[in-house]
Amino acid sequence: GNTRVMGGPGYNASMEYVLSTLKAKATGLDVHIEDFSVNKNVMDPDSKPQFIIQLQSPPRVFGKNDFAVLSNTGFGNITGHLIPAAANGCNATTDYEDITDAVSAGLGPIVALVERGTCLFVEKMTNAREAGAQAVVIYNRVGGDVFQGTLGAEGQVQHYIPSIGISNTEGLALRKEFKGCAPFQCDAPLATVAVRGEFKVIVSHNIIADAQTGDPNSMIVVGAHLDSVEA
């Protein structure tokens, strides 16, 4: 089943294996399945994500090893000025003034460039979106390579924007290319972030194994992950 990503065939096959093994070999346990639902953005497996920077002709098309799509990314095909957030992008007001100014001046679309660290990826994405950006590029911290993070599934994932991760070296180089925005134009590279997919509500399962004996008022709970990240 390839990976054990939640809701996928690999996860379901692994669940059946664990379930059958517990029932066959674990005596004294009441083994059962508990269903739950998760909001998830599912990428189109037949469409390749794109990250393109227009600084010169021809534009630079980043290869598949030069960037990574964040898990639960939003979707779209966005081309706009690549504008960096100040500091680390964790302050929704002060870190995005260049972006809000550009949006107010009608210079969108905007792709936000944000440094990794201090707050969650989903916070950076949300701050960039609320500032008016239509996509976000997060670059790694000092010396860090391309990374594959996650936006999580706690928020309204159907409203997430396209989100990707790049290396520290690439991020700093792109940051230097931003020279500022005047009232009618931005001196900034154009970036294209394209990710296709759809929002889904996925039903998945937990395996619960309860001891049939012991003190019901003193319980020990042991848990483990069965799912994996997307490859």
Side-chain angles (χ1 to χ4, degrees), residues 14-174:
S14 298
M15 182 194 68
E16 292 297 335
Y17 170 77
V18 172
L19 187 65
S20 62
T21 301
L22 283 173
K23 287 183 175 180
K25 298 184 178 181
T27 58
L29 293 178
D30 177 19
V31 182
H32 59 281
I33 295 292
E34 182 182 82
D35 295 343
F36 65 95
S37 61
V38 175
N39 295 332
K40 188 170 179 60
N41 288 329
V42 180
M43 291 176 56
D44 182 352
D46 298 322
S47 176
K48 293 183 179 180
Q50 287 186 311
F51 181 42
I52 302 171
I53 293 293
Q54 299 180 39
L55 275 172
Q56 55 191 12
S57 182
R60 180 186 173 190
V61 179
F62 280 60
K64 65 178 182 179
N65 296 322
D66 297 328
F67 73 101
V69 178
L70 272 62
S71 178
N72 244 352
T73 178
F75 306 115
N77 188 340
I78 308 300
T79 296
H81 295 294
L82 185 68
I83 300 180
N88 51 28
C90 294
N91 188 308
T93 304
T94 60
D95 287 353
Y96 293 86
E97 290 179 346
D98 285 332
I99 292 175
T100 55
D101 288 348
V103 172
S104 297
L107 298 176
I110 304 297
V111 177
L113 179 65
V114 187
E115 184 183 23
R116 180 182 188 178
T118 305
C119 60
L120 299 174
F121 296 131
V122 68
E123 294 179 64
K124 297 175 187 288
M125 182 278 301
T126 301
N127 291 343
R129 183 190 65 197
E130 293 183 353
Q134 285 79 40
V136 62
V137 178
I138 300 175
Y139 64 93
N140 213 340
R141 303 188 77 172
V142 179
D145 296 327
V146 176
F147 66 94
Q148 185 172 19
T150 179
L151 297 176
E154 298 301 319
Q156 295 181 315
V157 301
Q158 64 270 39
H159 300 308
Y160 287 1
I161 60 177
S163 306
I164 64 172
I166 60 175
S167 72
N168 176 259
T169 301
E170 296 284 11
L172 292 179
L174 290 173

